[in-house]
Amino acid sequence: MRPLHRLAARIPRLSDPALFALALLAIFLFIVFRNIGLYPTVFGDEWSYSSFTRLTPFKDTQVPSYLYYTVYRLTNFCGEGFLECARLINAVFYVGATPFLYLIARQYMPRRLAAVVALLAVLAPSNSYTAYFMPEAMYFWGFWVFSWSVLRGLGRADVRAVMLSSAILGLLAMVKVHALFLIPAYVVYLAYAAFAQRQAGDRWGWLRRALLLVAVALATAAAVRWSVGYLYAGRNGLYLLGTFYSNQAQTRPGVGVLIQLALASLQGHLMGLVLMSGMPLAAAALLCASRVQRNGAARGSNTLLAYAALMIPSLVAVTALFTALVAGGGSGESGARLHMRYYDFALPLML
């Protein structure tokens, strides 16, 4: 055994950053090799995004995902292997979210635990979306860039930080229009951040600050989205939803049917979340209910809790409403289908 010990002593120990990089490389290779050779799965969506990306001028696309089209138009250089190239780009974006997950987690926990959380996040089953010619992987990356811009500095909000995160949000809406679903939770979070940062004796000043931050956020996001959209597609680029989703929204059912379908869908989503994330939900509920627990938590973690407690329920509620609109509008969609991909990118917040 002694020669083995001497040999082991001569081998330099890998540092934590090196191990983290090797783990990222292993996950990337796993995703790439798993996806090779698969047939298209989500035929309607994959055909649409492939056609819009490779064959359609920006001004004629039905979905205004202009930034996504710009990046994935590189697949035209791959000839008939365009689908495999799209999957490779998907893997790059998906694994590329890991550093931002780590930077967020590192604010609230030790370095090694933050690395484990970040790696677990990209090993989640949602990485199966990297096999599709769809914007899910790029949107996953964009959401965590956005979340990092919101939560960096332990979630402290000022005008400069809000302008940065809002600009990212405006660009993210041109990767996938569902980024608009993030706005309600984001503006409420800004109000919370202004309240949490109030000074002693500041009775109403925080409210003026909150209104300022919300106004800056909405103005910046709108300016970025509309200006860049106009550069891409002229007047057609000013439509936030594009013609595809606008037509879906116009064929909505009656209010009574809409509410019934939305509540049924919401019930399904809640059942799924409790099944998959029962322990994190219980921990979050305990933190919300107990000031003692909040005071004993990591410094600044209240902002993370607020962000997660606003973002995930808001996305789930909007998703349930979207499902009700589509299912009740005569499109052939089932109200029993759970569109979890409209919020599963945010579920690593549970970790």
Side-chain angles (χ1 to χ4, degrees):
M1 295 294 292
R2 288 182 180 177
L4 291 178
H5 284 300
R6 287 197 297 268
L7 178 61
R10 293 176 182 176
I11 299 175
R13 294 183 61 186
L14 290 173
S15 64
D16 287 344
L19 285 172
F20 188 64
L22 285 174
L24 283 183
L25 178 61
I27 294 172
F28 174 77
L29 292 176
F30 164 73
I31 292 174
V32 169
F33 285 113
R34 182 198 61 192
N35 294 341
I36 288 177
L38 297 178
Y39 289 113
T41 305
V42 189
F43 283 96
D45 286 344
E46 289 196 75
W47 179 84
S48 297
Y49 281 111
S50 174
S51 300
F52 295 156
T53 298
R54 300 183 302 109
L55 307 172
T56 309
F58 291 127
K59 63 183 181 64
D60 296 330
T61 57
Q62 297 180 24
V63 180
S65 299
Y66 304 123
L67 292 181
Y68 171 76
Y69 302 147
T70 299
V71 175
Y72 282 74
R73 195 156 286 192
L74 293 172
T75 58
N76 279 333
F77 293 103
C78 301
E80 62 182 17
F82 63 88
L83 180 55
E84 299 298 346
C85 284
R87 290 167 174 167
L88 181 62
I89 300 173
N90 285 344
V92 171
F93 274 117
Y94 202 89
V95 175
T98 315
F100 298 97
L101 281 153
Y102 171 80
L103 290 173
I104 295 171
R106 182 65 185 91
Q107 298 182 106
Y108 311 104
M109 61 189 70
R111 181 176 63 253
R112 290 183 178 178
L113 185 57
V116 170
V117 165
L119 294 172
L120 285 176
V122 295
L123 284 171
S126 59
N127 68 36
S128 61
Y129 289 119
T130 56
Y132 307 150
F133 204 129
M134 294 167 62
E136 262 60 31
M138 188 175 180
Y139 187 62
F140 180 85
W141 172 81
F143 173 78
W144 287 105
V145 174
F146 167 72
S147 296
W148 165 79
S149 70
V150 173
L151 294 171
R152 67 194 183 106
L154 297 174
R156 184 169 183 82
D158 55 41
V159 171
R160 183 178 297 180
V162 168
M163 289 183 69
L164 173 63
S165 56
S166 302
I168 294 172
L169 183 58
L171 295 173
L172 192 56
M174 287 178 286
V175 173
K176 191 173 179 180
V177 297
H178 300 77
L180 299 174
F181 292 175
L182 305 176
I183 293 176
Y186 176 49
V187 296
V188 176
Y189 171 81
L190 292 178
Y192 164 81
F195 176 78
Q197 294 167 199
R198 70 192 187 282
Q199 302 294 325
D202 182 7
R203 187 172 182 181
W204 297 110
W206 71 268
L207 182 57
R208 292 191 296 271
R209 180 177 176 79
L211 293 174
L212 172 63
L213 293 179
V214 170
V216 169
L218 294 176
T220 303
V224 170
R225 168 59 187 85
W226 279 323
S227 60
V228 178
Y230 184 81
L231 291 175
Y232 267 107
R235 292 185 60 184
N236 290 344
L238 301 179
Y239 294 103
L240 294 179
L241 298 178
T243 56
F244 180 80
Y245 290 111
S246 296
N247 292 336
Q248 282 190 338
Q250 290 173 3
T251 57
R252 57 184 180 272
V255 176
V257 174
L258 183 66
I259 293 175
Q260 182 180 3
L261 290 172
L263 289 176
S265 178
L266 182 61
Q267 181 182 14
H269 286 290
L270 293 178
M271 291 172 64
L273 286 172
V274 170
L275 179 65
M276 294 187 301
S277 305
M279 183 60 73
L281 286 171
L286 179 62
L287 282 170
C288 290
S290 172
R291 178 174 295 180
V292 174
Q293 292 290 332
R294 291 195 299 274
N295 291 338
R299 184 175 68 91
S301 59
N302 287 344
T303 56
L304 176 63
L305 176 64
Y307 184 76
L310 289 168
M311 192 61 69
I312 295 177
S314 173
L315 289 170
V316 171
V318 174
T319 301
L321 181 60
F322 173 80
T323 300
L325 282 169
V326 175
S331 64
E333 277 280 3
S334 170
R337 180 183 174 189
L338 300 180
H339 294 87
M340 298 188 77
R341 63 189 174 96
Y342 294 157
Y343 62 82
D344 62 3
F345 52 84
L347 292 183
L349 286 167
M350 297 283 194
L351 297 175

